[in-house]
Every structure is written in C-alpha cells, then in structure tokens.
Amino acid sequence: MSNAHHRKKQPALVRQQLLDVAARLAASEGMAAVTLDAVSAASSVSKGGLLHHFPTKNALLDALFESLLETFDGDIEELMRGDPLPQGRFTRAYVMAVSGLKDRPDDSRNWTQVTITLLAEPRLRLRWRQWVQARAEEYVGTDSSLDAQIVRFAADGLWFADTLESHDIDGALRRDLIGRLVELTGK
C-alpha cells in the first residue's frame, strides 16, 4: 500500500505547483510544450492528480492565464496605492506594470508566451477583452480621456515590442518614453 493515502492533501499548493511548472515549460520551450504529460512529469504529480485540477490542456492554459492576470492586477493595484493623484492613476499604473515586465525576466517570459497564445486562442482573447473592458468601466471617471487611452495603446505597443524584442531602446530613451507617457496621463 502506498503512502499516498496517508499524505496530507494540499490541493492549493499542488494546483500552484502545476501552474508554475506549466509557466516554466511555456517560457523555456513554448506553449506547444505545455502538454498534460509534460506538466505531470515535470511536476512529479500523477496525471490523475493533474487531471483532478485541470481536466484538459485548455483548462490548464486558462488557469495559467488567470494566474498571470491576477499577478498583473496585483501589480497595478500596488502601483495605484502609491499614487496620490486620482486623475490617470490606473493608466499610470498600467504603463508602469507593462514597462516593468521587462525588468522581471520570469514574468516577462511567461507573459511573452501567453501574449503569443492570445493571438491564436479566441477564448483567451475574449478573457483579455473582458479584463480591459472591466478596467475601462471601473476607472471611467479618472482614466477615460483621449490622452489616457492613447497612453494605454502606446503601453500595449511597448509591451508588444518587448515581447517580440523588435526594438533596441536604450535605458535613457526607455525612461524618457515612459516618463512622457506618464506625463500624458495627467491631462
């Protein structure tokens, strides 16, 4: 008889471990490498245990996206708490969260894979659209100006450029660019 029946079950920890492994696989080998077998093997969780938490690969990818989105939301909330000016607060936090991904390699790699997957997966695009729409509605009183919308589009462009590594922007130019975007949020 195995010890599995006697081990203390920690479903939240196992679920997070599976998401962490999926994120590492996606970052190092691409989303195609995130298979149920690969995640099970790399996490030392049985396939049955994995299927208990994520019955399909899509369920695993959706949960990975939600996990990244929760972290991103947390980053934005933390940045907003430190900003005393209400006008444009969400947009400034969005710019800083997006531009800050480049300084956090693990998060950046995870978002790179998810961003690429967003282009091909309608259900993830819909979820991202819902997140964007919910934030637009939540901050309509402070972040709906034309300048704030332009700044968020520019931040998305920076995010995409960072994801593709398509532009070489030196540190000083990047700081100036971000500074200018932040400046526009107060208008």
Side-chain angles (χ1 to χ4, degrees):
M1 182 143 95
S2 79
N3 288 334
H5 298 6
H6 303 292
R7 276 195 315 248
K8 183 176 179 181
K9 305 287 185 199
Q10 297 179 317
L13 289 174
V14 171
R15 185 177 194 283
Q16 189 57 54
Q17 176 189 359
L18 293 167
L19 290 173
D20 292 345
V21 167
R24 277 196 307 275
L25 282 171
S28 65
E29 300 175 39
M31 279 300 212
V34 181
T35 65
L36 296 178
D37 288 332
V39 172
S40 174
S43 66
S44 299
V45 173
S46 71
K47 190 157 181 190
L50 170 65
L51 291 170
H52 171 76
H53 293 281
F54 307 107
T56 65
K57 179 180 176 177
N58 283 344
L60 176 62
L61 295 179
D62 291 348
L64 177 58
F65 182 72
E66 288 299 324
S67 175
L68 290 170
L69 202 51
E70 284 174 20
T71 300
F72 189 62
D73 254 338
D75 292 346
I76 289 172
E77 289 295 324
E78 184 177 327
L79 289 161
M80 288 178 65
R81 278 192 296 278
D83 185 341
L85 302 173
Q87 190 64 34
R89 182 183 292 147
F90 169 76
T91 300
R92 283 188 296 281
Y94 184 81
V95 168
M96 299 311 292
V98 164
S99 64
L101 286 173
K102 189 173 178 76
D103 299 327
R104 297 190 325 259
D106 288 343
D107 288 345
S108 181
R109 280 190 297 273
N110 293 342
W111 270 110
T112 294
Q113 290 304 318
V114 169
T115 301
I116 291 166
T117 303
L118 276 169
L119 299 174
E121 292 293 334
R123 72 185 188 293
L124 293 182
R125 278 197 313 272
L126 174 61
R127 180 60 187 101
W128 177 250
R129 179 180 169 75
Q130 291 168 338
W131 183 88
V132 169
Q133 186 62 39
R135 295 314 164 277
E137 290 170 7
E138 184 174 358
Y139 301 108
V140 70
T142 58
D143 290 80
S144 59
S145 72
L146 181 59
D147 283 340
Q149 291 179 36
I150 289 169
V151 167
R152 289 192 304 275
F153 280 125
D156 289 345
L158 180 62
W159 189 344
F160 196 63
D162 287 347
T163 296
L164 296 177
E165 298 176 344
S166 60
H167 294 72
D168 290 324
I169 304 173
D170 69 32
L173 178 58
R174 187 177 180 87
R175 280 189 303 278
D176 290 348
L177 175 66
I178 293 165
R180 181 69 176 119
L181 290 174
V182 167
E183 183 182 306
L184 285 171
T185 64
K187 296 184 179 208

